[in-house]
Amino acid sequence: MDTGDTAWMLASSALVLLMTPGLAFFYGGMVRSKSVLNMMMMSVSALGLIGVLWVLYGYSMAFGADIGGGLVGNPGQFLGLQGTFGGTYLATEGGPAADIPLVATIPATVFVAFQAMFAIITVALISGAAADRLRFGPWLLFAGLWATIVYFPVAHWVFAFDGVTAGADSAGGWIANQLKAIDFAGGTAVHINAGAAALALCLVLGKRRGWPKEPMRPHNLTLVMLGAGLLWFGWFGFNAGSAVASNGIAGITFVNTLVATSAAMLAWLLVERIRDGKPTSLGAASGIVAGLVAITPSCSSVSPIGAIAVGAIAGILCALAVGLKFRLGFDDSLDVVGVHLVGGLVGTLLVGLFATTSAPAGVDGLFYGGGFDQLWRQAVGAFAVLFYSFVISLILAYLVKAVTGLRVTEESEVTGIDEGEHAETGYDFSSLRAGGGLSHSSLPPVKVPAEPVPAGKES
């Protein structure tokens, strides 16, 4: 066990956890005020639900010994995290050194925690496509089923490398080990996966009432900007932490995450300036997320100059892609498809163009003399995840719809899903229900100064 690596991975796990509240702010600010609490609750509820499922069997399905030709891990191997902890934790003076299960140079439990945060944020991402109209109970049911049938197996495909899992002696996931596609931190398993599921869910749910004729603008852009900042901050743990060590790989992925995101934000703002005449704060926040998404799979395989190119291309293409929902008629409320699905595809495929052997992954893409070899591997991995996630998500959404129903009532959708589903509101401006706030009757009287009396007329 390396204490430096362990400390970095504990910090990275906490950084990735912060991304889910950041996403709650980001999504919460983008909806109308009557839906803000429900939107935030969908992200927060993913923390609870997926956290429990990950410990029970999710980690085992993702990182257990392969039992299906690279398709899924053994769900019983680490059931309840058995085999990932135990041993001598604290060595006594003159006694044996700590003897605990390791993944690479860190305790297995630290790796469990780090990967749990990935599972949580992936599920939370989906909810943005269903804003304003998805009931909370069916959301939890869909999220639990989707994590079990889609995310946990796909995480095995992408993240289960030889020698990574604690005690596993299998070949690992098929994308990582057989196909040898590069996805350093989850462009396929997280972003393409969640984006495809979001598309399926919004198609089954149908359009919001009044969309696209009624204006449905973000109600609080301050929250959106705060959420984008927290996501960018947490993403350094997401990408650099995926090195699973405090080393040079973490360093280059950290730098690439910074510059790609910066380039994507500038590119998105440029598109807005040319297309709409004004750059916007929502565009800046969306560009940040698009750049973060695109550099996620490629941060270990490109140079910093390549990262700038990846970010700029993603910023332009995602800025254009968010308008597709109006042309194609699907109501992806918060542009999960346009940013995460498209951004994930862009970042994954561009590995095949901009990868260089000077980067840690050690592969040359088309622009560096590597031909099309890596590009086709990237394409197969990306579209395999897209197809699997979309089809299974469509089936699960229809199943939940048939069993429990998905949409809130028309009354709840019109008056506000916050009150309909949670009996709360995000903002309360009523003096009768202010709960201790100042009302007009409680304000002190205003004293108006008397007019000055002219000199000599005091009497």
Side-chain angles (χ1 to χ4, degrees):
M1 184 178 72
D2 185 284
T3 54
D5 292 345
T6 301
W8 166 238
M9 292 309 298
L10 285 169
S12 294
S13 300
L15 285 170
V16 182
L17 175 64
L18 184 64
M19 292 171 63
T20 299
L23 183 71
F25 282 123
F26 184 76
Y27 279 173
M30 290 179 70
V31 297
R32 290 171 289 178
S33 59
K34 63 183 181 180
S35 305
V36 58
L37 291 181
N38 177 259
M39 195 70 260
M40 294 179 125
M41 278 289 288
M42 288 189 178
S43 291
V44 172
S45 65
L47 281 163
L49 176 64
I50 307 305
V52 171
L53 296 184
W54 187 251
V55 169
L56 294 179
Y57 58 83
Y59 177 75
S60 195
M61 289 182 66
F63 293 99
D66 183 72
I67 59 172
L71 297 179
V72 68
N74 182 354
Q77 182 177 358
F78 301 122
L79 191 67
L81 296 188
Q82 62 181 351
T84 64
F85 59 94
T88 305
Y89 284 88
L90 298 175
T92 58
E93 185 176 354
D99 178 22
I100 58 176
L102 300 178
V103 172
T105 60
I106 66 174
T109 48
V110 177
F111 185 73
V112 169
F114 181 68
Q115 288 295 335
M117 308 312 175
F118 278 62
I120 290 166
I121 189 71
T122 305
V123 171
L125 287 172
I126 301 170
S127 64
D132 293 326
R133 61 204 189 278
L134 176 60
R135 290 169 54 210
F136 187 65
W139 156 248
L140 290 175
L141 178 58
F142 175 84
L145 292 172
W146 187 85
T148 301
I149 302 173
V150 180
Y151 181 78
F152 298 156
V154 171
H156 182 77
W157 301 0
V158 176
F159 296 137
F161 289 93
D162 292 338
V164 169
T165 58
D169 55 359
S170 66
W174 72 272
I175 288 180
N177 291 280
Q178 285 85 53
L179 182 63
K180 298 190 182 304
I182 295 172
D183 183 359
F184 188 72
T188 56
V190 176
H191 300 291
I192 294 175
N193 204 4
L199 177 60
L201 184 59
C202 73
L203 288 176
V204 176
L205 268 173
K207 305 172 185 177
R208 288 169 289 178
R209 299 185 187 279
W211 186 88
K213 295 180 180 179
E214 293 181 13
M216 298 182 181
R217 300 184 182 92
H219 88 283
N220 192 328
L221 289 170
T222 305
L223 285 184
V224 175
M225 296 295 282
L226 172 63
L230 290 173
L231 285 169
W232 197 345
F233 179 69
W235 222 290
F236 289 114
F238 196 85
N239 284 357
S242 293
V244 198
S246 179
N247 58 18
I249 299 176
I252 186 62
T253 54
F254 196 107
V255 171
N256 284 345
T257 300
L258 170 65
V259 297
T261 308
S262 302
M265 178 181 64
L266 294 175
W268 191 300
L269 293 176
L270 180 62
V271 170
E272 283 192 328
R273 179 67 178 83
I274 295 171
R275 182 186 61 195
D276 308 322
K278 299 286 185 181
T280 67
S281 60
L282 180 60
S286 300
I288 287 170
V289 177
L292 292 167
V293 170
I295 200 60
T296 292
S298 54
C299 56
S300 71
S301 58
V302 300
S303 68
I305 296 299
I308 292 175
V310 169
I313 293 170
I316 293 169
L317 293 181
C318 290
L320 298 174
V322 295
L324 290 176
K325 64 183 182 182
F326 297 104
R327 295 186 180 183
L328 301 179
F330 62 91
D331 186 9
D332 171 22
S333 309
L334 306 185
D335 299 319
V336 183
V337 176
V339 174
H340 292 276
L341 178 57
V342 173
L345 284 170
V346 168
T348 302
L349 295 176
L350 288 182
V351 171
L353 302 181
F354 291 103
T356 172
T357 50
S358 64
V363 173
D364 277 328
L366 178 63
F367 295 165
Y368 288 82
F372 290 94
D373 183 65
Q374 194 61 42
L375 183 59
W376 76 260
R377 297 177 189 276
Q378 299 299 120
V380 170
F383 286 101
V385 172
L386 192 162
F387 179 77
Y388 177 75
S389 180
F390 179 77
V391 171
I392 301 301
S393 301
L394 205 63
I395 294 171
L396 291 176
Y398 275 118
L399 177 64
V400 174
K401 182 179 181 180
V403 174
T404 66
L406 283 175
R407 279 188 83 125
V408 297
T409 64
E410 181 177 358
E411 180 182 1
S412 291
E413 191 170 343
V414 171
T415 59
I417 193 172
D418 286 354
E419 288 204 21
E421 289 294 297
H422 308 289
E424 297 175 304
T425 57
Y427 307 97
D428 192 348
F429 300 108
S430 169
S431 62
L432 297 178
R433 299 169 57 191
L438 290 175
S439 65
H440 290 296
S441 60
S442 65
L443 291 173
V446 178
K447 295 182 179 181
V448 180
E451 295 184 4
V453 178
K457 296 185 178 182
E458 290 83 351
S459 61

